[in-house]
Amino acid sequence: MKLFKVVILCFFLLGNFSIGLCAQTDLSAVEEQIQILKDDIEVLQDQLEETSQDNFNRMSISGYTDLEYHESSDPDIQPGFRLHHMSLFFEKRITDSWKFFSEIEYEDGPLFEAEDGTFKDADGKIFLEAVNFTYFFHPMANFRGGRFFTPAGLWSVDHYPPFVPTQIRPEHVRKVFPQVVDGITTFGTMPMGSVFLNYDVYYGNGEDANGNGDNDSNKAAGAKFSLLIPLFKYFEFGGSAYKDTLADSTEKKAYGGHLKLKFYKFIWQNEYATAKFDKETDSYKRAGYYSQLQFDTQHWTLGGRYDYYDEDDRDDNDRTTSTGFINYHVNDSIVLKLEHHNVKFKDKTADEDYDHTIASVVIYLGN
């Protein structure tokens, strides 16, 4: 009986020892796995920091290109293909607050040949449309310097062919307000309850100047204000103003208004702009407007635009353009366009009405 108790006690002690040994072994394995996970996390953190730094150091390159085919009853427009745009965007996020952007546009397949320092052949156009640095200080106040698109209306800012329904822009765009400004601007968004105010205020060289500097001591100044109101899917309206003294001492003052709203699958976009040119001997006005309605459904965009432009109110050279368009979006980067423009002139003795049809393929060269 005593022997039996001794054997039982031995088994009991041996069992407890085994359980303790196993528990100690499991604990060591868990600690080892935890250490491995810690090491893996440190490696991932290092890789994330390197990737983030690479993104800052990397120059992003994108852009767009298009191919057009033209048919027109205007004898000055011959039927044929046009290599209209090849634009390259260079963008670099230098720090969290600093950003660089530039756009170089090659238009109509440019070719330049020189011999002995003199051009013997020049076709097409190469233009540095934008090159600037932006400092993001606060959502309500940011700063940009360099060459930038003139903040005026809607089309002047959002004008890229992959994202607008027609290859031909409204008549008055770039003819009342200039295309670009070389100078400085401050911009931002200010909340006003449920309404937001977007603003741009800029100061720079006159529109006759080039990148080498201004051609006189006068500077151009302008501003754009837009109110975003929580109506429909999107509702924006605002105004633009611009003042400049041209190279021939003509005083130019331009004003404009814009309205854009989205409801259901429709987008209704409108702009009006006018400029007064005061010379020493006389003065004249220039004006234009358009109203465009489009319907978007899945891959398709359909719509129309009515366009008016009067280059000089001293003459009867008013013109109107009625446009119909249809786009098929193959995907987010490729769009096929068909547009027809009917152009009519007020003075039939100076110009004849004509039709102009364009079929195009536009490709966005995104990242």
Side-chain angles (χ1 to χ4, degrees):
M1 187 66 179
K2 289 183 179 180
L3 180 60
F4 176 75
K5 290 181 178 180
V6 171
V7 172
I8 294 300
L9 181 60
C10 288
F11 275 107
F12 177 76
L13 293 175
L14 181 61
N16 285 340
F17 175 76
S18 300
I19 293 173
L21 183 61
C22 290
Q24 185 175 1
T25 302
D26 292 342
L27 183 60
S28 299
V30 170
E31 291 176 346
E32 183 178 351
Q33 291 296 323
I34 290 174
Q35 186 59 45
I36 292 174
L37 290 173
K38 287 182 178 180
D39 294 339
D40 290 343
I41 291 173
E42 290 180 0
V43 171
L44 290 174
Q45 288 176 336
D46 292 339
Q47 291 177 346
L48 183 61
E49 292 176 0
E50 291 177 1
T51 301
S52 178
Q53 189 62 41
D54 287 342
N55 288 335
F56 278 121
N57 294 333
R58 185 180 297 115
M59 177 76 75
S60 172
I61 301 176
S62 59
Y64 66 89
T65 187
D66 52 29
L67 173 65
E68 302 172 352
Y69 181 80
H70 292 250
E71 283 279 357
S72 178
S73 59
D74 185 348
D76 294 331
I77 303 176
Q78 298 300 322
F81 293 95
R82 183 184 185 187
L83 304 175
H84 196 168
H85 302 101
M86 173 61 191
S87 289
L88 296 177
F89 306 151
F90 297 86
E91 187 173 353
K92 181 178 176 65
R93 194 68 183 239
I94 303 170
T95 69
D96 286 337
S97 301
W98 286 92
K99 174 186 172 183
F100 167 81
F101 174 78
S102 71
E103 178 187 351
I104 302 175
E105 180 170 288
Y106 303 85
E107 191 167 317
D108 296 328
L111 171 65
F112 300 94
E113 293 182 338
E115 186 175 307
D116 298 328
T118 303
F119 277 113
K120 66 175 184 178
D121 191 14
D123 293 308
K125 176 182 175 182
I126 299 176
F127 182 45
L128 183 62
E129 289 201 337
V131 55
N132 53 68
F133 295 93
T134 302
Y135 176 64
F136 297 97
F137 175 69
H138 188 277
M140 291 192 294
N142 305 286
F143 306 93
R144 178 173 295 148
R147 174 172 294 174
F148 47 87
F149 294 104
T150 304
L154 299 169
W155 202 288
S156 292
V157 180
D158 300 321
H159 64 276
Y160 293 119
F163 311 116
V164 293
T166 61
Q167 295 294 99
I168 293 181
R169 58 182 170 265
E171 287 288 345
H172 80 272
V173 174
R174 300 183 182 179
K175 296 176 182 176
V176 177
F177 292 91
Q179 178 182 0
V180 297
V181 175
D182 292 352
I184 56 175
T185 179
T186 178
F187 62 95
T189 300
M190 295 183 176
M192 302 168 59
S194 60
V195 176
F196 291 88
L197 172 67
N198 289 342
Y199 76 91
D200 301 79
V201 179
Y202 55 94
Y203 179 80
N205 294 339
E207 60 185 87
D208 294 326
N210 54 45
N212 189 43
D214 208 346
N215 48 19
D216 55 46
S217 60
N218 300 302
K219 295 293 173 285
K224 173 187 173 182
F225 298 92
S226 297
L227 286 174
L228 302 180
I229 301 175
L231 294 174
F232 305 103
K233 294 174 64 176
Y234 181 88
F235 189 100
E236 173 187 349
F237 79 94
S240 307
Y242 176 83
K243 182 181 183 298
D244 187 19
T245 300
L246 305 183
D248 61 357
S249 299
T250 298
E251 294 289 336
K252 175 183 178 180
K253 295 180 181 178
Y255 305 94
H258 61 272
L259 168 67
K260 182 177 182 178
L261 60 89
K262 299 179 182 179
F263 56 98
Y264 185 52
K265 296 182 180 181
F266 290 93
I267 300 177
W268 188 38
Q269 181 169 311
N270 306 267
E271 289 189 62
Y272 171 81
T274 183
K276 184 178 182 182
F277 298 83
D278 286 319
K279 297 184 176 183
E280 293 182 359
T281 56
D282 65 348
S283 64
Y284 69 94
K285 290 183 179 180
R286 179 178 297 171
Y289 65 83
Y290 74 87
S291 181
Q292 176 178 285
L293 181 65
Q294 69 183 64
F295 177 77
D296 295 309
T297 174
Q298 294 182 342
H299 295 282
W300 295 93
T301 296
L302 308 100
R305 182 174 69 232
Y306 181 79
D307 202 329
Y308 169 85
Y309 178 59
D310 181 10
E311 185 176 11
D312 189 333
D313 67 347
R314 297 171 297 182
D315 302 322
D316 289 331
N317 57 358
D318 307 26
R319 59 190 293 175
T320 61
T321 304
S322 300
T323 301
F325 55 83
I326 179 170
N327 297 174
Y328 178 72
H329 301 269
V330 179
N331 52 38
D332 292 338
S333 300
I334 304 174
V335 57
L336 309 179
K337 298 181 180 180
L338 181 64
E339 59 198 81
H340 180 77
H341 307 270
N342 176 248
V343 182
K344 294 184 178 180
F345 297 90
K346 182 178 181 180
D347 186 359
K348 306 295 185 182
T349 62
D351 297 284
E352 293 186 2
D353 301 346
Y354 68 90
D355 292 291
H356 188 183
T357 302
I358 304 174
S360 59
V361 180
V362 185
I363 300 177
Y364 172 59
L365 308 174
N367 295 323

